[in-house]
Amino acid sequence: MTWTEAVVVSHFLATPDVAVIDLAPGEGAEFPAYTAGAHIDVLTDSGLVRQYSLCGPPGSGRYRLAVLNEPQSRGGSWAMHALRVGDRLRISAPRNRFPLVTARRHLLIAGGIGITPLLAMARHLEQTGGDYTLHYCARSRARAAFVSELTGNPRVAFHFDDEHPEQKLNMERDLGGPYMDTAAYICGPAGFMDYVLGRAEALGWPPHVLHKERFSSARPVSEPGAAGSGGFTVRLASTGDEYLVPEGRSVLDVLLEKGVDAPYSCQQGICGDCVVRVLAGEPDHHDEVLTADEHAEGMFATCTSRALSPILELDL
């Protein structure tokens, strides 16, 4: 991966738990443009790589991140909160696996820090005259970032757990039945995502109009699939080399151990950087980023997915 140097030009707490960080390019450089829903990788001083959505208005020349200080994190969020103005860090170019699609109406549903990509979407739709509604759910108003700049917008509905019960998100009322001219976008913590997607499915929404982005895997990465929990062999098409992938280890783990130059980033099946194509064999998909169509086309996340067949041949 190619890294670009960025400089912290602003760093403040939007809530007790959320730091808003503005990055500018190094002297004489420019950041690549991005579209709403995009994210960047950040390489911390400890060597951790983390993905953060860009929540500022596209075209500003800067990148804005909002980072939740996760008590159970492995150090990434703590490192981001510890940054100060003038600090330098390395970032990737923006990538977007959560873009706005062509639709007459857009329904944005955010849970907590999941507001970050949806905020960029709302701003873009405002600027382009798009029809949208944003539902912003959080435990309390005091712990929800960007509330002040969204207050007063008639297209935004707030749902806070500690306020009037009637204001809580009601899927039958706020989502309703499926509308073929409407695209829905959901982002937030795993439990929130599972609830919203489960209720949407029960209400009849087809998967192809439900666009989602997770900040963490819905289940532990090490958890094997029920059908594909045993070991299998992975074959590299470029060399014919074969490696055994035992139960409890990922394809990516084995490839890196063997010195294979395999792409990766999050190692949780949520960013798409490790995706390669399956040329032969039957995959057992456990990622949270690829669509059903992409699975059918043979795309495969090496960091989480496994095999139902004895041998899986990859385009590597």
Side-chain angles (χ1 to χ4, degrees):
M1 182 179 296
T2 301
W3 298 103
T4 299
E5 187 175 75
V7 182
V8 178
V9 293
S10 176
H11 189 294
F12 63 91
L13 288 177
T15 77
D17 304 316
V18 177
V20 176
I21 303 164
D22 289 330
L23 303 176
E27 186 175 351
E30 292 184 359
F31 282 152
Y34 67 93
T35 54
H39 71 271
I40 59 172
D41 287 352
V42 174
L43 178 63
T44 66
D45 288 340
S46 64
L48 294 170
V49 177
R50 292 292 180 266
Q51 294 75 39
Y52 297 107
S53 296
L54 295 168
C55 58
S60 67
R62 296 183 175 183
Y63 292 167
R64 168 166 283 193
L65 316 176
V67 181
L68 176 66
N69 194 359
E70 289 276 9
Q72 304 303 318
S73 83
R74 292 179 290 172
S77 66
W78 178 88
M80 296 298 288
H81 274 246
L83 290 170
R84 295 294 179 262
V85 172
D87 286 349
R88 296 176 180 269
L89 65 163
R90 286 168 288 177
I91 65 173
S92 72
R95 298 186 305 282
N96 199 344
R97 293 199 61 89
F98 190 44
L100 285 165
V101 301
T102 301
R104 188 191 67 80
R105 179 171 174 264
H106 303 269
L107 186 61
L108 317 176
I109 305 177
I113 197 62
I115 187 62
T116 49
L118 301 186
L119 180 62
M121 291 182 182
R123 285 170 169 160
H124 174 79
L125 292 167
E126 284 282 353
Q127 293 170 0
T128 59
D131 184 6
Y132 76 93
T133 300
L134 169 61
H135 293 278
Y136 187 1
C137 309
R139 295 188 183 280
S140 69
R141 186 179 297 268
R143 293 189 175 274
F146 308 115
V147 168
S148 59
E149 62 188 82
L150 291 170
T151 297
N153 185 335
R155 299 185 181 193
V156 178
F158 295 108
H159 309 278
F160 299 120
D161 291 349
D162 61 350
E163 295 187 359
H164 199 283
E166 291 183 0
Q167 293 181 348
K168 290 185 178 181
L169 183 70
N170 182 306
M171 293 295 290
E172 286 73 14
R173 176 195 66 203
D174 298 322
L175 184 67
Y179 304 94
M180 301 317 296
D181 60 351
T182 298
Y185 309 80
I186 304 99
C187 188
F192 173 83
M193 298 275 294
D194 292 342
Y195 168 74
V196 172
L197 292 167
R199 290 301 304 142
E201 181 180 355
L203 290 168
W205 285 76
H208 72 274
V209 299
L210 296 171
H211 306 275
K212 64 183 185 294
E213 182 170 69
R214 292 185 183 269
F215 291 140
S216 62
S217 178
R219 63 181 168 194
V221 176
S222 60
E223 179 184 317
S229 58
F232 58 96
T233 296
V234 63
R235 177 190 298 143
L236 307 188
S238 62
T239 63
D241 291 339
E242 295 185 351
Y243 305 113
L244 176 65
V245 181
E247 183 173 355
R249 299 201 69 199
S250 71
V251 172
L252 179 63
D253 287 340
V254 172
L255 293 178
L256 295 178
E257 180 184 81
K258 299 300 183 180
V260 177
D261 185 18
Y264 72 97
S265 182
C266 76
Q267 297 179 272
Q268 299 183 78
I270 59 175
C271 76
D273 282 4
C274 73
V275 170
V276 298
R277 188 176 298 277
V278 173
L279 300 179
E282 185 179 359
D284 181 25
H285 297 290
H286 295 285
D287 65 271
E288 299 285 353
V289 65
L290 295 171
T291 65
D293 287 343
E294 288 172 323
H295 286 159
E297 292 169 2
M299 307 311 289
F300 179 84
T302 62
C303 71
T304 54
S305 297
R306 300 187 63 77
L308 297 172
S309 55
I311 297 178
L312 202 65
E313 183 174 349
L314 303 180
D315 188 15
L316 272 175

